[in-house]
């Protein structure tokens, strides 16, 4: 498939970029471990002081599992290409994609997946180690089918988060200096996706409201699949909803980009 | 003595100009300013999510009631404004100034080099958001706890906050000074900066050993724990003495290391 070859090059480029900054990635992984450490101590203190076995619908072990996995899954689905898109639009580099036989969307998707691969490999090794440890201590009951479904939901979560941020990045057509806003959006979406605390912590209404938005299908849902907190019917429903959001965000992204493209003025290009 | 006072006055006036310049630079790009505001609100939301966890659980955690924890979190938010708004940017840029030889120009100024290199830039949006939100949270906790508003409580709290600001300045500057010897300290900067978040919750959630290390060895817990501990009457005498000594020790260490480092400055790129 010759049309695919140019995008595999984008994939390779992304892969090489990720390898170039591997020390940086390892360090960012280390700084990502701090919130997990703080939360583990916090939950240990809360469960120890309350005397209750179940808080917010989670046992102590389930809460610790959630905390560990939330840190890792949030890292797996994390994007970063939105800053590159901002630069492309700001500096007029986006123009070259308008004249070349290269789609910007597939180019970004392949570069993103290529950039994700080495980091993903490292995180998955840690994730597998954590899951095996949790399984060995009988905190999580791992089966081949649950693990496979978890990996499928995780892969869909990576694509969904890409599409969510591809939608957000279209704002760069209207506001050129949007770097800070991206960071604000990132931190709020982590919170809304359950990447810091389980959504149940914020109350039933909040959980209900979040069910109407795509964010929880990027972190909270895959974790609850492996955590054993969902029935097979709920898992299947979740998978369908994940697919629905992928289709919806894909449609929205294309609409926003077409709209934004009309505003593009190729400054500096 | 008069000479010293004159120097302090001069540096305060210059610091006022630094703040003014930073504000002008921030207001220049208004979408950047609004974006920065949104980003800080996002971070603030995450800090406040810890408050929700504590209140909704309704548990007294290791002897601390939710209202007391609120006081700790409010203090942490306020001090984050001071650290991240006034010092962090300078700390991160120091290694670049040393690496690129940008200290040359500052060396020629008739003002303290350490002052110029470590306090020149400020992120006042960040400072304002965190300081205002933090003070509101502290005021709510203060009222809910029924702590009397007196010269002793308010003055003591303010005094400990001042100590915390000094400790934040020197403790987080110390690893950055290593840039005089090492070419790239970005790794150190990232790791030490992440330590700041250990104050998001009161140190009482940690075990005894971690608490002692966090107070006496790597005194990160001194920063946001001591001011609320003082007003809650939970300050052991040993901590009281340590809080008086620590800023002096750290400021002295920073000064000595800075002077030593400066001897190593080679003005590489110029």
């Amino acid at each position: 498939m010759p049309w695919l070859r140019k995008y595999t090059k984008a994939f390779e480029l992304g892969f090489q970029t990720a390898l170039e900054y591997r020390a940086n990635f390892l360090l960012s992984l280390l700084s990502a471990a701090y919130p997990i450490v703080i939360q583990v101590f916090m939950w240990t203190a809360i469960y120890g002081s309350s005397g209750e076995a179940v808080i917010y619908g989670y046992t102590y072990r389930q809460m610790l599992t959630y905390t560990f996995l939330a840190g890792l899954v949030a890292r797996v689905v994390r994007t970063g290409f939105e800053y590159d898109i901002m630069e492309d639009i700001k500096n007029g580099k986006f123009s070259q994609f308008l004249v070349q036989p290269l789609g910007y969307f597939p180019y970004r998707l392949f570069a993103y997946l290529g950039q994700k691969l080495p980091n993903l490999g490292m995180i998955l090794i840690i994730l597998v180690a954590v899951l095996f440890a949790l399984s060995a201590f009988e905190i999580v009951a791992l089966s081949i089918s649950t693990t496979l479904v978890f990996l499928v939901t995780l892969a869909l979560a990576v694509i969904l988060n890409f599409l969510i941020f591809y939608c957000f990045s279209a704002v760069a057509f209207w506001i050129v200096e949007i770097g800070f806003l991206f960071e604000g959006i990132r931190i709020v979406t982590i919170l809304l996706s359950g990447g810091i605390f389980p959504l149940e912590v914020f109350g039933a209404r909040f959980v209900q409201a979040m069910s109407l938005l795509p964010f929880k299908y990027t972190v909270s849902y895959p974790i609850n699949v492996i955590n054993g907190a969902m029935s097979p019917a709920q898992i299947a429903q979740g998978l369908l909803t994940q697919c629905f959001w992928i289709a919806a965000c894909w449609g929205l992204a294309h609409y926003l980009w077409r709209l934004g493209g009309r505003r593009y003025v190729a400054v500096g290009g | 003595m008069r000479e010293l006072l004159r120097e302090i006055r001069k540096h305060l006036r210059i610091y006022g100009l630094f703040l003014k310049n930073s504000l002008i630079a921030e207001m220049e790009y208004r979408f950047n300013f609004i974006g920065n505001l949104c980003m800080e609100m996002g971070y603030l939301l995450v800090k406040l999510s810890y408050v929700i966890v504590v209140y909704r659980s309704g548990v007294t955690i290791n002897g601390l009631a939710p209202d007391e924890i609120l006081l700790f979190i409010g203090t942490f938010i306020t001090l984050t404004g001071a650290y991240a708004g006034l010092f962090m940017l300078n700390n991160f840029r120091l290694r670049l100034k040393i690496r690129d030889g940008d200290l040359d120009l500052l060396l020629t100024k008739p003002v303290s080099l350490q002052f110029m290199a470590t306090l020149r830039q400020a992120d006042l949006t960040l400072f304002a958001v965190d300081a205002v939100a933090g003070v509101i949270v502290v005021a709510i906790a203060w009222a809910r706890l029924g702590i009397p508003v007196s010269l002793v409580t308010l003055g003591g709290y303010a005094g400990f906050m001042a100590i915390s600001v000094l400790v934040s300045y020197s403790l987080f500057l110390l690893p950055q000074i290593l840039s005089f010897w090492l070419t790239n300290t970005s790794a150190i900067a990232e790791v030490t900066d992440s330590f700041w978040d250990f104050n998001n919750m009161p140190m009482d959630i940690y075990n005894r050993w971690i608490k002692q290390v966090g107070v006496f060895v790597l005194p990160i817990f001194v920063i946001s724990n001591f001011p609320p501990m003082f007003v809650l009457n939970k300050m052991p005498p040993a901590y009281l003495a340590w809080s008086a000594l620590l800023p002096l020790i750290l400021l002295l260490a920073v000064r000595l290391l800075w002077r030593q480092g400066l001897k190593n400055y080679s003005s590489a790129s110029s």
Side-chain angles (χ1 to χ4, degrees):
Chain A
M1 284 186 283
W3 66 270
L4 195 65
R5 208 176 302 149
K6 55 195 173 193
Y7 297 119
T8 53
K9 283 284 167 210
F11 183 90
E12 277 173 36
L13 275 173
F15 186 77
Q16 281 166 8
T17 313
L19 284 182
E20 208 174 332
Y21 298 107
R22 55 193 182 279
N24 198 40
F25 172 72
L26 282 173
L27 273 170
S28 74
L29 214 58
L30 188 69
S31 49
Y34 289 142
I36 297 177
V37 174
I38 297 166
Q39 283 175 36
V40 166
F41 276 105
M42 186 189 80
W43 288 121
T44 307
I46 289 178
Y47 278 86
S49 303
S50 84
E52 301 267 338
V54 177
I55 297 176
Y56 300 125
Y58 288 78
T59 62
Y60 173 61
R61 287 178 164 190
Q62 278 176 330
M63 192 59 92
L64 288 200
T65 308
Y66 191 97
T67 304
F68 274 115
L69 294 181
L72 289 171
V73 172
R75 207 40 50 176
V76 169
V77 301
R78 188 177 175 162
T79 58
F81 63 85
E82 57 275 17
Y83 296 97
D84 299 332
I85 291 180
M86 180 190 82
E87 288 297 321
D88 282 355
I89 294 172
K90 194 169 90 175
N91 302 329
K93 206 182 150 197
F94 182 65
S95 307
Q96 74 185 58
F97 294 93
L98 296 174
V99 292
Q100 282 174 355
L102 192 73
Y104 194 69
F105 176 78
Y107 164 76
R108 274 287 158 218
L109 179 65
F110 277 83
Y112 165 70
L113 292 176
Q115 213 164 350
K116 271 257 154 266
L117 196 65
N119 300 350
L120 209 63
M122 254 187 273
I123 295 173
L124 281 179
I125 291 169
I126 300 170
L127 199 62
V128 167
V130 168
L131 284 175
F132 267 109
L134 293 171
S135 170
F137 288 104
E138 293 176 0
I139 297 171
V140 165
L142 274 187
S143 69
I144 295 176
S145 58
T146 337
T147 314
L148 281 177
V149 176
F150 168 68
L151 289 175
V152 171
T153 58
L154 195 60
L156 290 175
V158 169
I159 294 170
L160 178 58
N161 212 36
F162 169 83
L163 288 165
I164 291 172
F165 275 85
Y166 197 73
C167 287
F168 281 131
S169 57
V171 183
F173 284 113
W174 285 271
I175 307 167
V176 182
E177 275 299 338
I178 196 175
F180 286 134
L181 195 62
F182 280 152
E183 185 61 14
I185 291 170
R186 188 186 69 81
I187 193 79
V188 173
T189 52
I190 290 178
L191 189 69
L192 298 184
S193 63
I196 298 172
F197 296 116
L199 298 174
E200 289 78 5
V201 163
F202 305 108
R205 273 194 191 166
F206 185 79
V207 175
Q208 238 170 359
M210 284 305 109
S211 300
L212 302 173
L213 294 169
F215 307 114
K216 83 166 202 180
Y217 295 95
T218 59
V219 180
S220 175
Y221 167 65
I223 297 173
N224 283 331
V225 167
I226 199 89
N227 213 358
M230 295 176 102
S231 67
Q234 284 173 316
I235 292 175
Q237 198 191 356
L239 263 173
L240 280 176
T241 320
Q242 239 185 348
C243 292
F244 162 76
W245 278 120
I246 287 175
C249 289
W250 185 76
L252 183 67
H254 276 260
Y255 172 71
L256 287 173
W257 273 73
R258 212 171 35 216
L259 212 65
R262 287 185 205 144
R263 290 184 57 92
Y264 179 63
V265 286
V267 178
Chain B
M1 189 67 188
R2 192 181 290 172
E3 185 66 21
L4 181 71
L5 279 175
R6 207 168 59 90
E7 279 297 309
I8 290 173
R9 255 206 310 273
K10 183 173 87 178
H11 281 79
L12 280 176
R13 206 172 58 238
I14 296 170
Y15 191 60
L17 289 174
F18 287 166
L19 293 181
K20 192 178 153 194
N21 284 345
S22 299
L23 187 67
I24 291 169
E26 277 177 58
M27 302 297 266
E28 210 172 345
Y29 303 100
R30 68 202 148 106
F31 278 117
N32 239 355
F33 174 72
I34 295 166
N36 198 2
L37 203 66
C38 292
M39 182 180 79
E40 282 321 311
M41 299 290 236
Y43 279 115
L44 186 64
L45 208 64
V46 171
K47 287 186 198 102
L48 291 175
S49 68
Y50 282 80
V51 176
I52 298 172
V53 172
V54 170
Y55 269 94
R56 283 184 52 84
S57 76
V59 177
T60 297
I61 303 169
N62 292 351
L64 288 174
D67 286 337
E68 290 176 318
I69 295 177
L70 188 67
L71 188 65
F72 281 85
I73 296 178
T75 307
F76 170 68
I77 294 172
T78 314
L79 288 166
T80 302
Y83 163 68
L86 305 178
F87 309 140
M88 197 175 74
L89 213 58
N90 298 291
N91 283 357
F92 280 176
R93 288 185 184 168
L94 181 64
R95 67 169 181 276
L96 300 176
K97 284 188 185 127
I98 295 169
R99 196 189 64 190
D100 302 341
D102 287 347
L103 285 187
D104 294 9
L105 196 67
L106 301 182
L107 271 165
T108 58
K109 310 269 183 199
V111 192
S112 155
L113 177 66
Q114 187 189 326
F115 169 76
M116 285 283 276
T118 62
L119 290 169
R120 197 172 187 183
Q121 268 114 7
D123 185 337
L124 292 174
T125 317
L126 196 161
F127 175 75
V129 170
D130 281 345
V132 170
V135 168
I136 291 172
V137 173
V138 167
I140 293 169
W142 199 291
R144 287 176 70 101
L145 287 163
I147 301 168
V149 181
S150 67
L151 195 67
V152 176
T153 52
L154 269 184
Y157 185 79
F160 276 101
M161 287 295 268
I163 288 174
S164 300
V165 172
L166 288 178
V167 172
S168 326
Y169 168 77
S170 24
L171 190 63
F172 286 87
L173 179 59
L174 270 174
Q176 310 300 333
I177 301 177
L178 295 177
S179 306
F180 280 113
W181 291 274
L182 309 165
T183 333
N184 193 354
T185 52
S186 66
I188 300 170
E190 275 214 26
V191 175
T192 50
D193 184 57
S194 308
F195 267 100
W196 179 262
D197 288 332
F198 273 103
N199 277 319
N200 211 332
M201 288 293 282
M203 66 177 180
D204 280 330
I205 66 162
Y206 303 101
N207 64 37
R208 201 170 138 254
W209 282 105
I210 297 181
K211 268 201 289 194
Q212 298 308 327
V213 169
V215 170
F216 294 109
V217 183
L218 195 76
I220 183 84
F221 290 152
V222 170
I223 297 169
S224 73
N225 284 278
F226 279 21
M229 277 170 83
F230 172 75
V231 287
L232 292 171
N233 282 326
K234 291 191 176 185
M235 186 79 122
Y239 285 4
L240 210 61
W242 183 234
S243 65
L245 265 177
L246 184 65
L248 298 176
I249 295 171
L250 284 174
L251 284 173
L252 194 69
V254 163
R255 196 69 202 135
L256 289 176
L257 200 67
W258 179 270
R259 281 189 175 176
Q260 212 53 40
L262 203 57
K263 285 182 193 160
N264 227 48
Y265 178 62
S266 54
S267 177
S269 322
S270 48

